Amino acid sequence: MLFQDRRDAGRRLAAELGSFAGPDVVVLGMPRGGVVVAAEVARELDAPLDVAIVRKLGVPYAPELAMGAIGEGGARVLNDDVIAQVRISPGELAAVELAETEELERRARRYRGDRRPADLRGKNVLIVDDGIATGATALAACRIARTRGAAHVVLAVPVAPYDWADRLGRAADELVCVAAPIEFFAIGQFYANFTQTTDEEVLEALGIPTAPPDTGDLEIPVAGLRLGARLDMPDEAVGVVVFAHGSGSSRHSPRNRYVARVLNDAGLGTLLFDLLTADEAADRSNVFDTELLARRLTAATRWLRGHPAAAGLPIGYFGASTGAAAALWAAAEPDADIAAIVSRGGRPDLAWPRLAAVTAPTLLIVGGADDLVVQLNEQANTWLHGESRVILVPGATHLFEETGALEQVADLAQDWFTSHMAPTPVG
């Protein structure tokens, strides 16, 4: 372990790059994690910061194995040895490249918006990532810089394999690395904290406001009350997921906020709001009043459909505990028009009179060690008439506090919502 986190790594890397300080330097960070490192370098060198947006082309059944990479401006790098070794067909390669091109374009819109890329003509360009593994994306980033007219390209990372210079050849004019250990298995082994970087952290590093107008923290008028809420809308969102909290929780739930960030990174908007006021939540009977919670959820959904940032977008529900019952109850209304539902450790039994009327595709996620709730969800699954599925997270209890459990929930929810809410490609 060498670095506490990416910011620490950036400061350590900046100390190795002091000789490059000057008016002709531009720093390019590779999203996502590399931008956080690059921000520290740019700050220390007093240099402008931009992004070099690249995407790895992963082998379909082993996505961590790179068979190449693509970047802005048509930059493309293929590892012919990997492609031949794992027998990737032209059709498989094209499918992966199409999907990654769509994500590359989404990130370009998200990270730049209307801003033009930095002018690299005649500049000394420092390309920064949080580490080098295969080097495929770094090669693509170097090609981007050269295509855009960089006079001198430096590839700089906190950590890389000992033979990284041989892997990268002459892609860059100079290579700078804090450490290049012989025993190298993954970049994350050299960081105490190597959690996934979010889009919001990238935008913060770039100094870009993360909330469009009329989003962020706000209040929703419901039945004479004003309920606290938070609306986050990524650029060109394909849908919005409304969170129904359970057991007296609120929009500040750390578990739901984590899931919301994952959904935001996947191009989905999220609305977290308080189903109950603080005084109402103090009365435990309100927490189990499914009909009351469902009415509040329906009202918030109606408000959301009229919001400019969500106009015309499909809406899904993510419910936890008793909030899942409220989501199912609300979705059963004849005019609900809910695109998809995900329940986390839900109590669908509290909505049993309405389950047969739920037509939205429903995913019921339950901790494998949450025995009673497993039984309730499996029984509820037989009552639902639309598409539905129960998935158990092995070893997880009701709050999914076990290592990696909540990450599995977030990944399952992301897959469910994107598969049921994203527009179907034409042609």
Side-chain angles (χ1 to χ4, degrees):
M1 187 184 304
L2 294 172
F3 313 107
Q4 289 300 311
D5 55 22
R6 290 180 177 88
R7 287 186 171 84
D8 176 45
R11 290 188 288 269
R12 298 271 298 278
L13 181 59
E16 303 288 330
L17 295 169
S19 62
F20 293 99
D24 293 329
V25 173
V26 176
V27 179
L28 298 183
M30 294 172 60
R32 294 187 179 102
V35 178
V36 178
V37 179
E40 297 297 327
V41 172
R43 184 178 297 112
E44 291 295 326
L45 301 185
D46 192 24
L49 173 65
D50 197 6
V51 287
I53 302 177
V54 294
R55 291 294 296 171
K56 178 175 65 179
L57 301 177
V59 172
Y61 52 84
E64 290 306 310
L65 176 60
M67 56 183 176
I70 57 173
E72 293 180 286
R76 186 172 186 257
V77 175
L78 295 181
N79 188 323
D80 294 327
D81 291 339
V82 171
I83 292 172
Q85 188 175 19
V86 298
R87 299 180 180 179
I88 299 297
S89 70
E92 290 173 320
L93 176 61
V96 172
E97 191 164 352
L98 176 61
E100 294 302 337
T101 298
E102 291 175 353
E103 176 61 14
L104 185 145
E105 292 173 349
R106 183 194 74 81
R107 290 193 178 192
R109 292 191 299 268
R110 178 70 164 145
Y111 300 153
R112 284 213 182 90
D114 296 330
R115 297 183 307 121
R116 293 179 61 83
D119 186 0
L120 305 185
R121 290 173 296 180
K123 303 289 186 179
N124 294 322
V125 177
L126 307 184
I127 297 174
V128 177
D129 203 356
D130 52 16
I132 292 289
T134 64
T137 52
L139 285 170
C142 290
R143 290 190 181 180
I144 291 172
R146 293 200 187 280
T147 300
R148 287 166 54 187
H152 192 79
V153 176
V154 179
L155 179 60
V157 295
V159 64
Y162 75 96
D163 61 346
W164 76 305
D166 294 334
R167 299 187 188 190
L168 292 166
R170 303 183 57 139
D173 298 302
E174 294 187 59
L175 303 175
V176 177
C177 184
V178 176
I182 293 176
E183 295 186 4
F184 188 107
F185 303 104
I187 298 170
Q189 79 185 89
F190 303 102
Y191 286 80
N193 179 359
F194 198 66
T195 55
Q196 185 179 24
T197 304
T198 65
D199 275 354
E200 284 67 28
E201 289 172 307
V202 172
L203 294 173
E204 180 183 356
L206 293 169
I208 300 173
T210 59
D214 300 323
T215 61
D217 294 318
L218 40 80
E219 292 182 331
I220 299 176
V222 174
L225 303 171
R226 299 191 70 83
L227 302 178
R230 179 169 183 85
L231 176 63
D232 289 292
M233 296 295 298
D235 291 341
E236 300 191 23
V238 298
V240 191
V241 177
V242 182
F243 282 67
H245 311 287
S247 302
S249 185
S250 72
R251 69 187 186 281
H252 301 297
S253 162
R255 296 175 184 83
N256 283 350
R257 288 173 72 92
Y258 171 78
V259 175
R261 288 196 299 272
V262 172
L263 297 183
N264 292 155
D265 288 347
L268 292 164
T270 53
L271 175 66
L272 293 87
F273 79 106
D274 299 340
L275 287 164
L276 300 170
T277 66
D279 290 341
E280 290 174 328
D283 183 348
R284 294 295 292 173
S285 64
N286 289 325
V287 174
F288 291 91
D289 189 339
T290 304
E291 189 169 358
L292 169 64
L293 300 180
R295 286 200 304 270
R296 299 279 174 88
L297 182 57
T298 298
T301 304
R302 189 179 303 116
W303 172 89
L304 180 63
R305 292 192 193 280
H307 193 284
L313 294 177
I315 291 178
Y317 284 159
F318 182 95
S321 190
T322 55
L328 291 164
W329 190 291
E333 294 291 339
D335 59 348
D337 191 24
I338 300 303
I341 302 170
V342 173
S343 163
R344 170 179 67 83
R347 290 289 309 276
D349 56 297
L350 297 177
W352 73 264
R354 294 290 191 93
L355 293 182
V358 176
T359 59
T362 301
L363 176 64
L364 306 170
I365 306 173
V366 192
D370 196 4
D371 296 336
L372 176 58
V373 177
V374 169
Q375 295 177 31
L376 294 174
N377 277 263
E378 288 179 339
Q379 185 176 18
N381 190 45
T382 66
W383 295 338
L384 292 165
H385 283 184
E387 177 189 355
S388 64
R389 186 179 177 191
V390 177
I391 292 184
L392 305 185
V393 176
T397 52
H398 188 62
L399 295 180
F400 297 87
E401 295 176 305
E402 293 72 22
T403 301
L406 191 61
E407 286 81 355
Q408 291 184 58
V409 170
D411 289 344
L412 290 167
Q414 174 186 317
D415 290 345
W416 191 262
F417 283 124
T418 54
S419 64
H420 289 91
M421 297 173 72
T424 303
V426 177

